[in-house]
């Protein structure tokens, strides 16, 4: 039965990609899956970790990232092509999810460690713990991003994050109380701009997700994570991590020289930065 459900969910995800310019409803998706509306919503959430509407929003923004990076289409045309009738709404949702406005993403294609830290709220009073563990990955010598997010999708500013040179131990300090999702990602060379699994990718894009709960009386927590190849059932990666996941010299990323100089940063240890922002500030609130 699980195979039947997964195939049904995959049909819906494929239909999303094929019809992004249309106004797709949950009823439409349920008909594609050949399930009742309410049963479909439950099984879709169970299989992907997101509601159908939230997944569709991620697919729209993931395609917008691809079009901004690979075409000269105007931002207005791209917003309409991926199903937004309002350019303002598109720009707001893109910025909160990707970490850059559409125009900045077209220019830079990546956030920096500094931009993730800038403007963060001070750590709120209250209990905070250390989360540590080991990250394993089939990509042995590739950088790894690991962060805590409010939802099971790599978008928006993380609550805490760390950057590793490769598989091994990690530490997230001053993790605030709450229910978070630890998400880690690593990519093979040449796949830094990819947002989802495509046929033939193999293990070029690797991802791990696991829940982490920090209670009022929690002590240090151990949370090991094992990266696995992304699947079509995984939501697109929206936070623009291209440069953070690249082991190459920034001078070879195609970034304009003046931007390289402006955003040059000192070496940083593989230790967490934990802004502890409220969840709605991290992701821009609930929006589809």
């Amino acid at each position: 039965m699980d195979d039947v459900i997964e195939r049904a969910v995959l049909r819906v995800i494929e239909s999303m990609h094929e019809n992004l310019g249309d106004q797709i409803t949950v009823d439409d998706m349920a008909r594609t899956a050949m399930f009742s509306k309410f049963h479909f919503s439950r099984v879709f959430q169970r299989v992907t970790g997101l509601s159908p509407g939230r997944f569709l929003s991620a697919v729209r923004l993931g395609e917008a990232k691809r079009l901004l990076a690979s075409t000269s289409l105007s931002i207005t045309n791209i917003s309409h092509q991926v199903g937004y009738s309002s350019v303002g709404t598109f720009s707001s949702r893109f910025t909160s999810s990707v970490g850059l406005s559409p125009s900045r993403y077209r220019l830079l294609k990546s956030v920096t460690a500094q931009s993730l830290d800038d403007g963060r709220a001070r750590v709120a009073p209250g209990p905070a713990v250390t989360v540590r563990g080991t990250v394993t990955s089939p990509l042995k010598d590739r950088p790894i991003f690991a962060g805590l997010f409010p939802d099971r999708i790599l978008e928006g500013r993380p609550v805490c994050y760390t950057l590793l040179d490769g598989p091994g131990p990690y530490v997230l300090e001053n993790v605030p109380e709450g229910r978070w999702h630890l998400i880690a990602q690593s990519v093979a060379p040449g796949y830094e701009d990819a947002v989802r699994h495509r046929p033939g990718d193999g293990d070029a894009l690797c991802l791990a997700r696991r829940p982490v709960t920090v209670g009022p009386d929690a002590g240090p927590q151990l949370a090991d994570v094992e990266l696995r190849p992304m699947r079509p059932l995984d939501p697109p990666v929206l936070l623009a991590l291209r440069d953070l996941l690249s082991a190459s010299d920034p001078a070879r990323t195609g970034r304009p020289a003046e931007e390289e100089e402006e955003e040059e940063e000192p070496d940083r240890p593989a230790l967490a930065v934990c802004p502890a922002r409220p969840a709605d500030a991290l992701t821009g609130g609930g929006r589809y």
Side-chain angles (χ1 to χ4, degrees):
M1 183 61 180
D2 284 346
D3 287 344
V4 172
I5 290 173
E6 286 197 3
R7 286 197 297 270
V9 171
L10 279 172
R11 284 199 305 274
V12 174
I13 293 173
E14 290 168 1
S15 178
M16 289 179 184
H17 287 286
E18 293 169 358
N19 301 284
L20 281 181
D22 299 336
Q23 296 305 308
I24 306 171
T25 67
V26 175
D27 286 328
D28 295 331
M29 298 184 217
R31 281 194 291 271
T32 300
M34 295 185 288
F35 290 148
S36 72
K37 176 180 176 179
F38 300 106
H39 180 58
F40 165 71
S41 295
R42 287 195 300 270
V43 299
F44 191 97
Q45 175 106 26
R46 176 161 61 86
V47 170
T48 68
L50 298 178
S51 70
R54 188 71 182 279
F55 198 102
L56 174 60
S57 176
V59 170
R60 293 189 194 280
L61 295 176
E63 176 64 5
K65 285 179 68 178
R66 187 189 70 81
L67 292 172
L68 285 164
S70 62
T71 76
S72 59
L73 291 171
S74 71
I75 291 172
T76 298
N77 284 342
I78 289 173
S79 69
H80 293 159
Q81 191 161 321
V82 300
Y84 284 89
S85 58
S86 165
V87 180
T89 299
F90 164 73
S91 295
S92 175
R93 294 179 180 176
F94 187 96
T95 302
S96 65
S97 293
V98 177
L100 299 164
S101 68
S103 58
R104 292 288 287 174
Y105 178 77
R106 173 165 270 169
L107 175 67
L108 303 178
K109 298 186 180 65
S110 180
V111 298
T112 64
Q114 185 64 47
S115 68
L116 285 179
D117 302 342
D118 283 349
R120 67 180 185 268
R122 294 182 181 275
V123 175
V129 305
T130 296
V131 176
R132 66 175 68 241
T134 300
V135 180
T136 57
S137 171
L139 300 174
K140 300 301 182 184
D141 299 314
R142 296 296 297 167
I144 295 171
F145 174 93
L148 293 175
F149 293 82
D151 296 305
R152 293 185 63 185
I153 179 172
L154 215 166
E155 72 168 353
R157 185 176 284 110
V159 178
C160 298
Y161 73 91
T162 188
L163 301 170
L164 307 175
D165 291 334
Y170 76 92
V171 178
L172 296 171
E173 294 187 332
N174 299 320
V175 178
E177 181 180 350
R179 297 175 62 87
W180 314 113
H181 293 276
L182 177 59
I183 305 178
Q185 192 196 24
S186 184
V187 299
Y191 286 82
E192 290 85 0
D193 294 328
V195 298
R196 67 184 180 98
H197 170 88
R198 292 179 181 274
D201 283 346
D203 61 358
L205 294 86
C206 292
L207 189 76
R209 297 183 292 178
R210 65 165 294 171
V212 173
T213 300
V214 176
D217 301 316
Q221 295 198 31
L222 178 67
D224 294 337
V225 288
E226 181 178 358
L227 273 71
R228 57 162 177 76
M230 282 188 72
R231 303 182 301 160
L233 294 166
D234 290 316
V237 172
L238 298 184
L239 181 58
L241 297 172
R242 175 190 178 213
D243 288 356
L244 300 185
L245 289 173
S246 175
S248 63
D249 187 320
R252 292 180 294 187
T253 64
R255 174 172 295 188
E258 62 271 19
E259 293 294 343
E260 293 170 20
E261 182 176 350
E262 175 186 343
E263 299 192 1
E264 183 178 356
E265 300 174 31
D267 292 338
R268 54 182 288 123
L271 187 64
V273 177
C274 297
R277 296 170 62 92
D280 56 352
L282 294 169
T283 63
R287 64 274 155 233
Y288 308 118

